[in-house]
Amino acid sequence: MVLLEEPIKSSVTLRNYVNGEWVEAETNVWRQIVNPATQKVIGRVPISGSGDLEKAVEAAAEAYPEWRRTPPLTRARHLYRLKNLMEEHFEELSRVCVMEHGKVIDEARGETRRAIENIEVACGIPSLMMGYNLEDIAKDIDEYVIRQPLGVFACIAPFNFPLMVPLWFMPYAVATGNTYIIKPSPWTPLSQTKIMELIDEAGFPPGVVNMIHGDAEVVDVILKHSQIKGVSFVGSTPIGRDVIYKQAAAHGKRVQAQCGAKNFIVVMPDTVIDQTVSSIITSFFGSTGQRCLSGANLVVVGKDDSYHQRILEKIVDSARRIRIGYGLDEATQMGPMQSEDRKKRVVGYIEKGIEEGARIVEDGRDFSVMGEYPDNCFIGATIFDEVTPDMTIAREEIFGPVMCVIRTQDLDEAIEMINKSNYGNAATIFTSNGRIARKFQYEVECGNIGINIGIAAPMAFFPFSGMKDSFFGDLHGQGLEAIRFFTESKVVIQRWF
Amino acid sequence: MGFTTLSSALYFYQNLEDFTTRFYEKFAANENYSALRELFLDLARDNIKQKNTVLRTYQEAITDILEVGSSLDGMREEDYLIPEMPVEDSDMKEVLNYAITLEDCGLRFCLDISKKIRTLLTDISRPFESAGKKKGDRKNRLEAALRSLG
């Protein structure tokens, strides 16, 4: 057992980052940041008020005209510097992420990598932001499209990918000439604070990127502020749909709200079992199930009882062998839930599943942790068999390491079940048959499709898609869709006499 | 104990390379082994280079979607244990034999892990394979040096 050194030695007090300076929040409300594995307090975060956000908006709005006029290649150079600094601090960033979130070190390093990839893609802004043109749309008249930034944008970030998610948006926003405000999750604000230290070191002009710690009050001002042109949000469906999307749209803003999920993983009888099981285990139990692309419902297709039994036994056997512990212990395969409340919520769903008649074949409430850590946030992998689509555990997002196994007679029944779900974030099929895979890809109403891929996570140069109750807005984060989200198309028709 | 995560395997590899570098540097600095000095310093430099290549590639290719260490099933730390470093007044043959054992251990580890993660993490598998092959060449150089002692 090798325990990596913790980068945070004693509790830190966070400040906001406004106009290129670290400033105290004008508030008396603070929240403790607790390492979910050790239960040690590692920091305290201010719950800023509307006045703090006003200052950030003012700084961002003031920085905008000059930043917009900065050539795209120069803007990209700031991002190159940030990328290099993130490479330099790669390990520190990843370990901070483990300490505040609980995920295991390899997952955190993967998160840091994906964050950097978004910066790398945004560095291509001189090409990505180009418009297009056509000569002679009429006699001696040419027409062209140019892409222009809009002003100040903001991001409301979730707790589960504290380092990566704001970087699905921010690099594209500033590369296109906008200025930006990030509001990290108050549960996991340390990773973004570290990023902001690097932004400061990279020499971005004051006001181009700002960070305000806070909660509902800050969100409310972001959604209503006349100078904020658009909002990117990642979080739960009720908040995304009923608060973010409605309020932002009502106040004339662009909005992209990437929300909850209930992802189906379909296993066909012709799949390669060993590789499939390994991928399934990661999909359902990786990041302790706290990601919007995690598997939730495992649909085993076919009439063969012995096949169903065989695959279930293999999954249960693998799940039982998962080593639970502190994410900075390199032998750990699954970390804790991010907070006690999140664990309680998962336990509540397990109880609900039993009450509604699902058969529990692996009970995550009974678990052992490697090392001497309080078990407040830890939980094991749970597997329910004989789940029916109408059960609560099959319909609602649990956001924890719980697998619901559902049987269907054929693929059509499985696709119908997926399409009936309110959510449309991701779905995966495991099969060796190309025709079946194509049918799945064609008919399933989900934004991200995996074919023999347990977690269908789009790379930075593709949009992070989503449909139905999993996404509200038109343009998704990452890649070209992000470029379109952060720019306005202006059409010019010209003639010279 | 088995390697349960890629991180734990990487940590082991890093320690192995650091230990090997320390060994070569220590004996290269000792006047009793001046005949091996150039060879050992060269191997130590190469060690650092190999380690950096593997770690850099890992940092650039790591994903948050690892298949929970299952690809490393069957790889155990105890299969690559290295004996204690010889004392400084050991004879030259003993020192060379020890170096060959070290290289062999590294070679087996690099080729084994490369094979295990080939499907899942091809980008990281490749530098391990290359490091393993280089360790084979290094072993040959050490064996040639041993033969030359008669």
Side-chain angles (χ1 to χ4, degrees), chain A residues 220-248:
Chain A
D220 192 52
V221 183
I222 287 175
L223 296 174
K224 292 174 181 165
H225 203 291
S226 62
Q227 280 191 284
I228 295 180
K229 303 297 178 193
V231 178
S232 303
F233 166 85
V234 176
S236 73
T237 294
I239 302 290
R241 179 189 54 209
D242 302 335
V243 180
I244 307 293
Y245 185 64
K246 280 189 182 156
Q247 286 290 332

Side-chain angles (χ1 to χ4, degrees), chain A residues 22-69:
Chain A
W22 294 98
V23 293
E24 304 281 349
E26 289 172 5
T27 181
N28 294 319
V29 187
W30 294 79
R31 189 179 289 179
Q32 286 189 333
I33 311 160
V34 177
N35 180 329
T38 62
Q39 287 298 299
K40 284 184 187 149
V41 175
I42 52 175
R44 58 183 207 131
V45 58
I47 303 302
S48 308
S50 54
D52 295 303
L53 187 85
E54 282 292 349
K55 284 177 189 155
V57 176
E58 205 176 290
E62 204 171 305
Y64 172 64
E66 189 59 33
W67 183 243
R68 181 201 162 171
R69 280 178 176 77

Side-chain angles (χ1 to χ4, degrees), chain B residues 12-110:
Chain B
F12 177 82
Y13 168 75
Q14 197 171 342
N15 280 343
L16 182 69
E17 292 290 28
D18 288 344
F19 180 85
T20 309
T21 306
R22 275 201 307 277
F23 161 74
Y24 286 128
E25 285 175 346
K26 181 178 172 186
F27 282 87
N30 188 325
E31 283 304 315
N32 295 337
Y33 310 99
S34 56
L36 298 173
R37 190 175 146 62
E38 285 311 311
L39 173 64
F40 276 18
L41 284 179
D42 191 37
L43 292 174
R45 276 193 297 269
D46 187 53
N47 257 120
I48 296 167
K49 204 170 122 189
Q50 280 186 39
K51 184 186 87 172
N52 288 344
T53 304
V54 169
L55 294 183
R56 193 178 58 240
T57 312
Y58 164 76
Q59 186 172 313
E60 284 172 0
I62 184 74
T63 162
D64 54 325
I65 308 165
L66 286 169
E67 310 212 327
V68 203
S70 53
S71 57
L72 298 175
D73 271 356
M75 272 188 83
R76 300 175 320 149
E77 203 169 325
E78 45 270 44
D79 293 335
Y80 309 97
L81 286 183
I82 40 179
E84 260 185 49
M85 214 183 270
V87 289
E88 293 221 42
D89 58 357
S90 309
D91 74 30
M92 218 177 280
K93 278 189 181 174
E94 199 181 329
V95 172
L96 276 169
N97 271 319
Y98 182 79
I100 291 165
T101 309
L102 266 185
E103 294 299 332
D104 186 63
C105 178
L107 181 156
R108 284 187 293 107
F109 177 83
C110 287

Side-chain angles (χ1 to χ4, degrees), chain A residues 296-496:
Chain A
N297 291 336
L298 182 75
V299 182
V300 184
V301 177
K303 295 166 187 166
D304 182 353
D305 287 341
S306 65
Y307 173 75
H308 176 84
Q309 209 44 45
R310 195 151 50 98
I311 201 153
L312 189 61
E313 275 167 16
K314 275 186 177 282
I315 290 170
V316 171
D317 178 56
S318 296
R320 278 185 188 150
R321 285 190 287 126
I322 293 174
R323 299 166 70 93
I324 300 167
Y326 185 15
L328 286 181
D329 176 345
E330 295 202 278
T332 295
Q333 294 174 316
M334 190 166 94
M337 299 293 296
Q338 198 278 325
S339 71
E340 284 185 61
D341 283 349
R342 294 183 218 290
K343 174 181 168 177
K344 276 183 199 150
R345 188 168 178 269
V346 173
V347 169
Y349 274 109
I350 295 172
E351 285 161 359
K352 189 81 181 165
I354 294 167
E355 189 188 309
E356 290 186 351
R359 186 169 71 91
I360 192 159
V361 287
E362 180 63 17
D363 190 341
R365 294 171 300 178
D366 180 19
F367 61 91
S368 60
V369 177
M370 293 188 307
E372 298 294 314
Y373 299 107
D375 64 4
N376 304 45
C377 297
F378 286 101
I379 191 164
T382 294
I383 300 171
F384 279 109
D385 192 17
E386 296 170 21
V387 176
T388 54
D390 56 310
M391 288 180 182
T392 308
I393 54 169
R395 288 185 290 107
E396 294 183 6
E397 182 175 40
I398 298 174
F399 223 58
V402 179
M403 176 190 288
C404 301
V405 183
I406 305 172
R407 288 190 67 176
T408 64
Q409 298 294 298
D410 54 35
L411 180 62
D412 284 325
E413 194 185 338
I415 293 176
E416 193 187 335
M417 192 188 301
I418 297 170
N419 289 347
K420 269 188 186 163
S421 168
N422 291 337
Y423 295 104
N425 208 39
T428 278
I429 189 164
F430 285 96
T431 179
S432 299
N433 185 318
R435 187 181 58 79
I436 285 174
R438 186 178 186 280
K439 177 184 167 71
F440 187 82
Q441 167 198 312
Y442 195 84
E443 294 182 11
V444 165
E445 293 162 10
C446 280
N448 304 291
I449 299 291
I451 295 172
N452 298 318
I453 299 285
I455 298 276
M459 295 294 287
F461 25 92
F462 287 100
F464 193 106
S465 195
M467 295 178 180
K468 301 194 280 186
D469 274 1
S470 295
F471 180 76
F472 298 92
D474 302 296
L475 296 164
H476 302 90
Q478 297 197 147
L480 284 173
E481 289 204 18
I483 302 293
R484 286 186 59 201
F485 182 77
F486 291 114
T487 56
E488 186 66 270
S489 300
K490 187 180 274 182
V491 180
V492 181
I493 305 171
Q494 73 174 11
R495 175 170 60 182
W496 296 94

